[in-house]
Amino acid sequence: MDHFLYKNGELYAEDVAVREIAAQVGTPFYLYSTATLTRHYSLFKDALAGLDNLVCFAVKSNSNQAVLRHLGNLGAGMDVVSGGEYARARAAGVDGSKIVFSGVGKTRAEMRTVLEGGIRQFNVESEPELAVLSEVAQSLGVTAPITIRVNPDVDAKTHEKIATGKSENKFGIPIARAREVYAYAASLPAIDVIGVDVHIGSQLTDLAPFELAYNKVADLTRALRTDGHNIRRLDLGGGLGIPYERSNSAPPLPVEYGALIKRCVGDLGVEVEIEPGRLISGNAGILVSEVIYVKSGEGRDFLILDAAMNDLIRPAMYGAWHDIIPVIEAEAAAEQRPYDVVGPVCETGDTFAKARNLPKLVAGDLVAFRSAGAYGAVMSSEYNTRPLIPEVLVKDDQFSVIRKRPEFDEIINRDIVPEWL
Ligand code: LLP
């Protein structure tokens, strides 16, 4: 459920008409709902009630500081994967003690920044990383709290580009070698082993792979305790999927996911962390765009929008589906027709949808892409020198621009033409 609903024949974000925001901000833009962020964060909190837990929002899914501030105010921790994301989370007011640092290629400079600024834990992904982290921590006279990310060799049954838990993926250390690597970690001078981490992929629409992975992690926890490690925290990653195609999908609910977590690890007496991104931010955002032209092609009509693949790359990159709806609600009896929905960028990949059934649309009409709050704005680029589009946040009947559209000068003045040219 989200807070983008039709009222009086037009699309609203909470209590604000999307059309009004478009008139003030100009299209295209991302639009987020505070109430939806709250709702989805709360679903996880409720699902984990009874367990000592921290829900760490995956900042990579939506890193706008206003979004982070809101979730931080609700009590969320943050999962970051770069020095930049760490800086954003801190700037949004999140304390280091609630930030976990994930990622397969942390640099010395990032480790230093994070150790100095405060960190809940590093999720370490390899032996070389362990060695470097110990060295960096020692040079600062501190110890680094860590979990080790294990790769459970489980098929997440999701898109191959976002599956991470198979042995052929670059992530984590093979679970079969975990005890050996934990022994190595414990032997290092500036490492404090506190737990185990796992993340098997994103947009999972089946709970079975989670169950397989979490049971393996539970077994490993028992074995590590026998080996003398004080395992007191499990980071179970993110990955729960959302219904991108609403008429045709019903992924598992957070409450079912929470019950599964309790079943698998509830008797271990550990603190549980999860790192959801998409399920919190995905349906809390839409992308609003205007139809520039409707062009008749060979056997099809093209809906040419002012948004393009540089603004929302998921369809081009993963063949992803996003529901597209008109901002002015169509009559219930209105005839639908198939459109190829495309952007203005100069490549055929700049196609959002093929033969998508939509009510008749004309130039100047507004459309909204649903489920665009996760991996939308964060993955956008200035390809074709198209400015990054604004982000807007709604709360009840108020809205604010939380990232403004840059002027062309701001973009082109970043280039430096050498004097010798
Ligand atoms: N934790 C780790 C270590 C991750 O790598 C990820 C996502 C998450 C948590 C959050 O997963 P979520 O709950 O959002 O599924 N750009 C792709 C998704 C990439 C996901 C990468 N890792 C997309 O647009 O589908």
Side-chain angles (χ1 to χ4, degrees):
M1 203 214 107
D2 62 39
H3 295 75
F4 300 101
L5 299 170
Y6 288 117
K7 281 188 238 178
N8 313 319
E10 61 175 311
L11 188 64
Y12 271 69
E14 302 190 20
D15 300 326
V16 189
V18 170
R19 186 178 41 87
E20 275 174 26
I21 304 176
Q24 284 191 38
V25 175
T27 55
F29 63 95
Y30 279 101
L31 179 56
Y32 309 131
S33 151
T34 319
T36 313
L37 289 167
T38 305
R39 178 181 152 78
H40 290 150
Y41 169 73
S42 307
L43 288 177
F44 280 118
K45 283 307 281 184
D46 294 348
L48 295 180
L51 289 177
D52 185 5
N53 72 82
L54 186 69
V55 174
C56 295
F57 176 61
V59 171
K60 65 166 78 69
S61 71
N62 185 319
S63 59
N64 190 290
Q65 280 176 65
V67 169
L68 303 185
R69 171 73 60 97
H70 175 62
L71 292 169
N73 286 345
L74 295 175
M78 301 284 153
D79 165 47
V80 305
V81 291
S82 68
E85 285 191 354
Y86 178 80
R88 271 180 189 272
R90 292 306 307 273
V94 181
D95 196 78
S97 64
K98 292 181 106 174
I99 303 178
V100 304
F101 190 10
S102 303
V104 73
K106 305 176 193 78
T107 64
R108 281 170 194 266
E110 286 175 323
M111 290 172 177
R112 218 171 287 122
T113 309
V114 161
L115 281 168
E116 283 170 350
I119 188 75
R120 181 174 176 81
Q121 98 230 359
F122 290 82
N123 293 333
V124 174
E125 301 227 11
S126 66
E127 286 149 296
E129 182 190 337
L130 270 177
V132 168
L133 181 59
S134 180
E135 223 176 275
V136 174
Q138 202 171 21
S139 73
L140 296 172
V142 297
T143 52
I146 66 125
T147 69
I148 293 178
R149 177 170 176 179
V150 292
N151 184 325
D153 195 20
V154 163
D155 182 354
K157 302 204 179 77
T158 183
H159 191 284
E160 58 163 353
K161 287 188 184 159
I162 53 175
T164 56
K166 286 289 286 173
S167 55
E168 69 260 29
N169 301 134
K170 69 181 174 184
F171 300 98
I173 55 136
I175 198 159
R177 289 197 50 237
R179 291 172 84 168
E180 187 191 321
V181 178
Y182 271 87
Y184 171 62
S187 76
L188 292 169
I191 294 289
D192 179 18
V193 175
I194 57 170
V196 182
D197 172 45
V198 71
H199 170 79
I200 57 173
S202 194
Q203 186 52 19
L204 271 71
T205 51
D206 180 0
L207 288 181
F210 284 121
E211 184 146 22
L212 279 174
Y214 295 171
N215 280 331
K216 288 189 180 195
V217 167
D219 288 345
L220 175 65
T221 300
R222 291 186 195 97
L224 291 173
R225 283 177 169 169
T226 314
D227 293 345
H229 302 283
N230 179 10
I231 302 297
R232 47 205 188 271
R233 185 180 293 165
L234 299 184
D235 183 332
L236 299 176
L240 193 58
I242 62 171
Y244 278 103
E245 195 174 349
R246 291 188 186 205
S247 57
N248 188 24
S249 58
L253 303 171
V255 66
E256 297 166 317
Y257 174 67
L260 178 148
I261 289 178
K262 288 176 189 169
R263 219 165 43 239
C264 298
V265 308
D267 63 344
L268 292 172
V270 286
E271 182 181 13
V272 169
E273 277 168 9
I274 55 171
E275 304 170 344
R278 191 186 317 259
L279 201 137
I280 292 179
S281 58
N283 285 332
I286 59 174
L287 167 61
V288 181
S289 178
E290 185 177 310
V291 177
I292 310 178
Y293 299 113
V294 181
K295 169 169 149 175
S296 300
E298 288 281 318
R300 68 191 65 211
D301 285 347
F302 293 98
L303 207 57
I304 304 176
L305 304 182
D306 62 1
M309 64 189 290
N310 68 297
D311 304 310
L312 177 66
I313 198 151
R314 303 194 67 260
M317 193 153 174
Y318 313 109
W321 174 288
H322 285 262
D323 280 346
I324 302 171
I325 57 170
V327 166
I328 301 300
E329 191 175 17
E331 303 284 322
E335 191 195 322
Q336 303 245 320
R337 59 184 67 199
Y339 288 104
D340 280 11
V341 184
V342 303
V345 161
C346 304
E347 49 184 286
T348 303
D350 185 21
T351 299
F352 291 117
K354 285 197 171 227
R356 182 69 65 90
N357 281 326
L358 291 167
K360 182 175 162 46
L361 289 160
V362 299
D365 284 346
L366 297 174
V367 295
F369 291 78
R370 284 188 167 280
S371 312
Y375 307 109
V378 285
M379 293 182 79
S380 57
S381 75
E382 290 174 345
Y383 186 37
N384 280 205
T385 309
R386 293 168 48 86
L388 293 182
I389 65 177
E391 293 173 277
V392 178
L393 183 66
V394 169
K395 183 172 194 294
D396 303 323
D397 60 356
Q398 46 181 334
F399 71 90
S400 288
V401 173
I402 56 172
R403 184 178 74 190
K404 72 177 188 57
R405 194 188 310 278
E407 301 294 330
F408 284 128
D409 274 357
E410 293 173 53
I411 299 171
I412 62 178
N413 290 345
R414 287 203 304 260
D415 297 351
I416 301 168
V417 180
E419 270 169 31
W420 40 261
L421 271 184

